[in-house]
Amino acid sequence: MKKFVWFLLVSTLLVLLISACSNDDNEQDVQESQGENTDTNEGVIEIDFWSATNPTQDAFWKKVAEEFNAEQDNIQVNVSQMRETPTSEATIQSAIAGGEAPVFSENISRGFAAQLAKSEALVSLNTLEGWEELLESRKMSETVKPWRFSDDNQYVLPIYSNPMLFGWRVDILNELGFEEMPQTYSEVLEVADALKQEKSDTFFWAKSDLADPTAWMRWFDFFMLYNAASEGNNFIEGNEFVADDKAGQQVLDLMYQLQERDALLVREASDPFETGLGIFTDIGPWTFAYWEEQFPEMKYGETFDLALPPVPDNADTEEINTFADTKGVVIYASATEEEQQAAVDFLTWVYSDPDRDLQWFEQTDLPPARDDLTTNESFQDFLDENPALVPYAEAVPYAVPPIDNPNFNELQTLIGQEAFNPVVGGAKEPEEAWNDMKQAIEGELE
């Protein structure tokens, strides 16, 4: 029995020893295999890109990233759609705070970029190798100029630029005896007078937002008119109020005279421009898809036409500025230098071929931020098929992006509260309103 127990013990120990050796060999094989895989991926930089919540934009970026990755051995771009709950801005801020920001993302406005730049969360793109070559390759040297920030840096590469235009009901203008869309304030007031005489139940501008102080609404009324009247003069630079006082008061005076003529309707109304309740309103290119479904009678050149904002009398009517509804790409400072450069390389590849900007334009109806949209043959057929987009393409170089102050929301609210809304309501005269607004904004900037 003792011999048997001893034999059993020795046998068990031998089995355990053989098993341990086998496991060591297997682990070494796995390590060697993993080492081979690591060697295969050595030198490959993976960079994460967050696309906008718009499905068409997300689809575009995933497609071009797939094409880029197929051509590359050392850079791989991973595209995912950013969350919009509660907002895309909140998602980005939360990711930065948690150390989980991507290398780069789109969907960044100039105002939001100012907030991020203030907290040193963004890379100055003009400090990266290849920045100037990227601008030249995409033919956007003029379009990008208004995007320079007050510290003389560029934090955003604009992807698209929607120069906001004004729509005119040309069918109603023709009924009133006007063959051309007004270009100057005097011509606007002449139309308003004729309208009230001939069609007393129709208004020049019917839009409830004119009486709403919400900050972003000033992009689509005050800033369109101000940018045109001031020839693109900045409103705020850094923490300094630099607006053109004369131009600003002229804008308010136009609105004051329109309200005196009872030519403004600021109560809620369903589709006032489409139904002919108003004959003038701001229009972005995204409107046309909605009209195709809901208002097929709205025909470009027949029912409506498009124009840059009217300007004060005796002003230049050739190269008129307007507001740019626009967003772009930023690179986050948390990325390594290698990742930052890889992002620039990817963007340079994307924008080195105008056909990719054409794909973007076709998929999104958002005009690419280029100087040559109307002269580059790549876009000619598309614009020929979509003539209503031509005025937007022509205006891209003259469209001014939002102010770059991180407190843009509070500052633009003051424009409405202190000046624009009271003038529209007849509660203040233009000079008083402008001075009240200026004082309030300068106090906020201190």
Side-chain angles (χ1 to χ4, degrees):
M1 179 62 70
K2 287 181 180 179
K3 288 181 180 181
F4 174 76
V5 171
W6 177 252
F7 173 77
L8 183 62
L9 178 61
V10 171
S11 299
T12 302
L13 289 173
L14 285 172
V15 169
L16 290 173
L17 181 61
I18 292 170
S19 176
C21 291
S22 176
N23 287 339
D24 287 344
D25 290 340
N26 290 337
E27 184 175 346
Q28 184 175 356
D29 290 341
V30 170
Q31 289 175 343
E32 288 175 356
S33 174
Q34 289 176 339
E36 289 174 2
N37 289 337
T38 302
D39 291 340
T40 301
N41 295 326
E42 186 176 355
V44 176
I45 302 172
E46 290 198 19
I47 52 176
D48 292 330
F49 176 81
W50 282 2
S51 63
T53 56
N54 186 329
T56 59
Q57 292 175 236
D58 181 56
F60 169 83
W61 286 111
K62 285 179 176 174
K63 181 176 183 296
V64 295
E66 182 180 355
E67 294 172 358
F68 176 81
N69 292 342
E71 295 182 13
Q72 300 294 315
D73 294 326
N74 59 344
I75 301 175
Q76 293 290 292
V77 180
N78 304 316
V79 177
S80 56
Q81 194 175 44
M82 67 175 62
R83 297 189 305 275
E84 58 179 347
T85 305
T87 64
S88 58
E89 289 82 1
T91 296
I92 290 168
Q93 289 172 323
S94 177
I96 292 172
E100 298 177 347
V103 173
F104 57 147
S105 79
E106 64 165 334
N107 205 38
I108 306 297
S109 69
R110 192 163 177 254
F112 183 46
Q115 293 181 356
L116 298 178
K118 183 180 180 180
S119 61
E120 300 182 347
L122 300 181
V123 175
S124 303
L125 300 178
N126 49 290
T127 64
L128 298 178
E129 183 179 350
W131 168 248
E132 294 297 333
E133 291 77 4
L134 170 56
L135 299 184
E136 176 58 32
S137 174
R138 200 190 184 198
K139 307 301 180 188
M140 60 183 303
S141 299
E142 290 300 316
T143 301
V144 80
K145 281 181 180 179
W147 281 79
R148 186 170 291 276
F149 284 66
S150 55
D151 63 359
D152 210 32
N153 282 312
Q154 293 276 13
Y155 294 102
V156 188
L157 173 72
I159 297 177
Y160 65 87
S161 180
N162 280 318
M164 291 302 300
L165 301 179
F166 281 113
W168 290 86
R169 284 297 300 264
V170 290
D171 55 344
I172 299 177
L173 281 179
N174 293 340
E175 288 178 25
L176 297 172
F178 296 93
E179 297 300 323
E180 302 289 339
M181 294 179 290
Q183 289 187 300
T184 66
Y185 289 180
S186 291
E187 293 171 352
V188 165
L189 295 175
E190 185 181 355
V191 167
D193 288 336
L195 186 65
K196 298 313 292 184
Q197 290 175 7
E198 301 294 330
K199 294 178 175 289
S200 58
D201 58 346
T202 302
F203 295 84
F204 179 78
W205 197 349
K207 187 179 182 184
S208 60
D209 294 352
L210 298 174
D212 191 326
T214 303
W216 62 264
M217 293 180 179
R218 300 293 75 80
W219 289 332
F220 307 108
D221 45 45
F222 173 80
F223 274 108
M224 290 180 68
L225 295 167
Y226 170 77
N227 289 339
S230 67
E231 298 183 353
N233 186 81
N234 280 348
F235 191 77
I236 291 172
E237 289 181 357
N239 285 321
E240 185 179 357
F241 181 82
V242 296
D244 184 324
D245 292 326
K246 180 181 178 181
Q249 290 186 42
Q250 286 175 318
V251 169
L252 295 180
D253 186 62
L254 172 66
M255 300 304 297
Y256 187 79
Q257 293 196 55
L258 286 171
Q259 70 82 26
E260 279 196 317
R261 288 165 166 78
D262 193 27
L264 302 177
L265 179 68
V266 296
R267 62 173 171 79
E268 289 288 343
S270 298
D271 303 305
F273 184 75
E274 294 84 347
T275 59
L277 182 60
I279 68 167
F280 173 87
T281 195
D282 56 288
I283 293 179
W286 53 81
T287 307
F288 305 131
Y290 168 66
W291 281 354
E292 284 181 9
E293 292 185 4
Q294 301 297 324
F295 296 95
E297 68 274 15
M298 296 296 288
K299 301 292 185 182
Y300 178 61
E302 298 177 15
T303 313
F304 77 97
D305 211 334
L306 300 165
L308 287 160
V311 295
D313 296 358
N314 301 319
D316 180 14
T317 57
E318 293 299 321
E319 295 182 353
I320 299 175
N321 295 98
T322 186
F323 170 75
D325 176 58
T326 178
K327 291 185 178 180
V329 170
V330 299
I331 298 177
Y332 296 97
S334 55
T336 67
E337 290 186 4
E338 281 188 327
E339 290 171 336
Q340 294 171 14
Q341 194 58 55
V344 172
D345 292 345
F346 170 65
L347 293 172
T348 300
W349 179 87
V350 170
Y351 293 122
S352 63
D353 186 346
D355 283 344
R356 296 192 188 96
D357 262 332
L358 174 61
Q359 293 171 27
W360 168 276
F361 207 177
E362 291 173 333
Q363 288 180 230
T364 67
D365 278 346
L366 300 173
R370 302 177 62 107
D371 304 337
D372 64 347
L373 277 184
T374 57
T375 58
N376 191 311
E377 292 184 0
S378 297
F379 306 100
Q380 194 59 55
D381 289 343
F382 177 69
L383 291 174
D384 287 344
E385 294 169 4
N386 299 273
L389 295 178
V390 173
Y392 294 96
E394 292 174 337
V396 166
Y398 310 112
V400 181
I403 60 176
D404 67 345
N405 189 284
N407 296 323
F408 71 95
N409 194 63
E410 293 82 356
L411 296 169
Q412 290 181 197
T413 299
L414 290 173
I415 298 173
Q417 287 180 341
E418 299 294 336
F420 197 81
N421 303 146
V423 165
V424 165
K428 288 183 182 180
E429 294 192 356
E431 184 176 359
E432 175 193 6
W434 181 263
N435 290 334
D436 288 349
M437 178 206 71
K438 183 175 180 178
Q439 182 178 1
I441 288 177
E442 287 179 338
E444 181 73 22
L445 293 171
E446 290 179 356

